[in-house]
Amino acid sequence: MDDLYNRFEQAVTPKTKLILVCHITNRTGQIFPVKRICEMAHARNIPVIVDGAHAFNHFPFKISDLNCDYYGVSLHKWTCAPVGTGFLYVRKSRIASTWSLMASTDKQVWRYSKVRRNWNAPGSQLRCHQRGAHLQREHRN
């Protein structure tokens, strides 16, 4: 973990505007020291985006514990929701300065997705996963 952290710290220069870090790699399953990287970045006033595509619903954590500014998730990975579904967490203090490159009204979003199941599936998939995770925790105890 120290090596990963040191690589990020050493790569930061006065020109660094943003840090993008994976939470976990898809090939080896290496979990990155995200909280530590965020603390280092914030000490230098650098925002952090975390790619959580493979982490969300793969192992237990709370986004709020990571202290990141943005956290992106593809729900089709470990949540088994339809391809194209996901979410982006934005720290409350960053919302006003963050603007979307996607459609800004429901009608435009509907035209973009075109598939009704993409609107309905994430909620049911998350509830299903929560029930399954609850059962797994009971089984371990």
Side-chain angles (χ1 to χ4, degrees), residues 63-64 68-72 87-92:
I63 293 174
S64 59
C68 60
D69 299 286
Y70 306 92
Y71 194 96
F87 71 82
L88 174 66
Y89 160 85
V90 179
R91 177 192 295 274
K92 196 172 207 170

Side-chain angles (χ1 to χ4, degrees), residues 65-137:
D65 291 343
L66 301 175
N67 196 25
C68 60
D69 299 286
Y70 306 92
Y71 194 96
V73 172
S74 299
L75 290 173
H76 72 277
K77 303 281 182 163
W78 295 96
T79 309
C80 300
V83 172
T85 58
F87 71 82
L88 174 66
Y89 160 85
V90 179
R91 177 192 295 274
K92 196 172 207 170
S93 63
R94 296 270 181 198
I95 292 173
S97 63
T98 303
W99 57 281
S100 174
L101 295 176
M102 297 280 295
S104 60
T105 67
D106 288 344
K107 190 174 185 180
Q108 289 171 324
V109 170
W110 176 253
R111 270 189 254 135
Y112 173 74
S113 70
K114 294 184 183 177
V115 181
R116 185 70 180 163
R117 72 176 179 267
N118 285 358
W119 286 78
N120 297 329
S124 62
Q125 288 300 113
L126 288 170
R127 285 188 297 278
C128 179
H129 180 80
Q130 286 173 334
R131 284 193 301 270
H134 174 71
L135 294 173
Q136 288 173 356
R137 281 190 297 273

